[in-house]
Amino acid sequence: MKNNIIPTRTLVLGIGNVLFGDEGLGVHLASLLRHNYRFANGPGAADPAGPGPAHFAIVDGGTLGPHLIPLLAEQSQVLLLDTITSTGSKPGEVFCFDYLEMPAPAKAQGSAHEVEMRQTLAMMRMAGDLPRIMVLAAVPAIISAASFELSPPIRAAAGLMENKALEILAGWGFQGERVAALTISDIAANCCRVGDRVS
């Protein structure tokens, strides 16, 4: 008898522009998870339909926006790592929410990549192709010049986000085993290097 169970596909997607400091947080955090942890993804992990193969990936989505639609449409659940503009919030504050239940303060007009990603997800929702999206994001400090450095509030937020990401993924059936100890600053400083790059 043919197994008709659809495989669970879980994606960790880092979004942002690494050329503008804090704006690259999502991409850097995805890279940190990829380098510092090995994730167990056994059969049936987080699959509500029953046993079956599970698929897990961590991807740098950069500022690709709508070009990510084919990738996103294949997923069952996505952990979206990003920065977020939030009314009345301070740099370094961390938000975690289901995309379909976005809190009102987080609906404020954001950076170019934030707006483009929201438009991308809105298009997918209208088309009926939207997977479950959990957003994990921090409020960036204002950075007006190109830089690979992260502000102190965002470096502090990254630690909280790392722990929360591991908690979410464990809840979905993907346990992370630490295999390295790179910091978010290590990742950011080397993100565009050729040769010995760590991301």
Side-chain angles (χ1 to χ4, degrees):
M1 179 176 172
K2 185 177 180 180
N3 185 347
N4 292 320
I5 295 173
I6 299 174
T8 295
R9 294 183 178 273
T10 297
L11 176 69
V12 176
L13 181 63
I15 297 295
N17 189 340
V18 298
L19 299 178
F20 289 95
D22 290 356
E23 288 284 319
L25 174 63
V27 170
H28 297 321
L29 191 55
S31 182
L32 182 141
L33 291 172
R34 187 171 61 247
H35 284 90
N36 280 356
Y37 298 93
R38 180 182 297 114
F39 289 91
N41 56 337
D47 188 345
H55 302 270
F56 178 82
I58 300 176
V59 172
D60 169 359
T63 57
L64 292 175
H67 299 288
L68 294 168
I69 289 177
L71 173 66
L72 288 167
E74 292 181 346
Q75 310 306 317
S76 299
Q77 53 205 9
V78 176
L79 176 57
L80 181 63
L81 307 174
D82 202 353
T83 53
I84 192 166
T85 301
S86 178
T87 305
S89 299
K90 297 178 181 179
E93 286 192 49
V94 175
F95 288 80
C96 184
F97 54 86
D98 188 302
Y99 166 74
L100 296 178
E101 299 173 359
M102 183 181 295
K107 294 180 180 178
Q109 184 77 1
S111 65
H113 90 261
E114 281 184 62
V115 172
E116 188 173 48
M117 196 64 210
R118 289 182 191 180
Q119 291 172 341
T120 298
L121 297 180
M123 286 189 292
M124 293 187 68
R125 184 179 184 184
M126 288 188 343
D129 291 331
L130 188 72
R132 179 188 183 191
I133 305 272
M134 287 299 297
V135 179
L136 180 57
V139 178
I142 297 174
I143 295 180
S144 57
S147 173
F148 292 126
E149 293 187 15
L150 301 177
S151 69
I154 284 297
R155 291 199 300 270
L160 176 59
M161 292 175 69
E162 177 182 353
N163 290 334
K164 186 63 178 178
L166 292 171
E167 177 187 318
I168 292 169
L169 293 172
W172 289 350
F174 298 91
Q175 295 287 342
E177 175 192 358
R178 183 177 280 276
V179 294
L182 293 170
T183 68
I184 197 74
S185 295
D186 294 333
I187 298 290
N190 292 283
C191 67
C192 292
R193 291 185 186 276
V194 176
D196 294 332
R197 62 184 297 181
V198 296
S199 64

